[in-house]
């Protein structure tokens, strides 16, 4: 156990306590949504991750998992609905429309599974 040091401020000795320092990691959309959710709705979990120095790694893991899951779900849905390169070549607007619907549905699933639970 590390020895605690103190700083004198006025008549009081205050302990020099800082949470473990983490490397700053750039976060994407899903990591930022997860952080906001934890901060607003799961305050204890957020505080525990922050004070243990594991918040950045948790958010990075969530970001990677969410991106992977989005790709998997979108590919499965596109295959199931018959969205192919042939459709893209023959009717681009229909292909874009269907892909946007697939992306939105996949994102709703990812948000429910990984971000807001």
């Amino acid at each position: 156990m590390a020895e605690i040091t103190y700083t004198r401020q006025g008549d009081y000795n205050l302990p020099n306590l800082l949470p473990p320092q983490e490397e700053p990691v750039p976060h994407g959309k899903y990591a930022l949504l997860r952080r906001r959710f934890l901060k607003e709705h799961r305050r204890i979990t957020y505080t525990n991750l922050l004070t243990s120095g594991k918040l950045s790694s948790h958010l990075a893991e969530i970001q990677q998992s969410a991106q992977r899951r989005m790709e998997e779900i979108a590919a499965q849905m596109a295959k199931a609905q018959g969205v192919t390169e042939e459709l893209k070549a023959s009717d681009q607007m229909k292909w874009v429309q269907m892909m946007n619907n697939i992306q939105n549905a996949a994102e709703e699933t990812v948000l429910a599974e990984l971000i807001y639970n």
Side-chain angles (χ1 to χ4, degrees):
M1 189 165 148
E3 185 177 321
I4 298 176
T5 59
Y6 296 87
T7 303
R8 184 139 184 109
Q9 293 188 1
D11 294 336
Y12 302 101
N13 286 330
L14 299 176
N16 298 324
L17 301 176
L18 292 174
Q21 299 301 312
E22 298 180 88
E23 284 187 33
V25 177
H27 299 301
K29 173 184 179 178
Y30 301 109
L32 296 175
L33 287 172
R34 177 67 176 177
R35 185 179 70 194
R36 190 176 79 202
F37 173 76
L38 289 174
K39 201 171 191 178
E40 292 175 2
H41 301 285
R42 301 286 189 269
R43 195 77 175 137
I44 294 172
T45 304
Y46 175 80
T47 303
N48 287 341
L49 287 169
L50 183 64
T51 57
S52 67
K54 296 178 183 176
L55 182 62
S56 281
S57 61
H58 172 75
L59 295 176
E61 182 181 326
I62 289 291
Q63 179 68 30
Q64 290 174 351
S65 299
Q67 283 180 333
R68 236 180 293 118
R69 188 78 175 120
M70 276 286 295
E71 292 169 3
E72 291 171 5
I73 293 172
Q76 290 171 357
M77 290 178 75
K79 185 176 180 182
Q81 294 180 19
V83 180
T84 62
E85 291 298 317
E86 289 83 28
L87 177 64
K88 184 178 180 181
S90 64
D91 191 358
Q92 289 180 350
M93 288 305 292
K94 184 175 181 179
W95 182 86
V96 168
Q97 211 173 28
M98 292 179 79
M99 285 305 293
N100 283 340
N101 288 338
I102 288 169
Q103 289 292 329
N104 289 336
E107 185 168 57
E108 284 181 25
T109 303
V110 167
L111 292 176
E113 286 179 357
L114 296 173
I115 308 302
Y116 301 130
N117 70 13

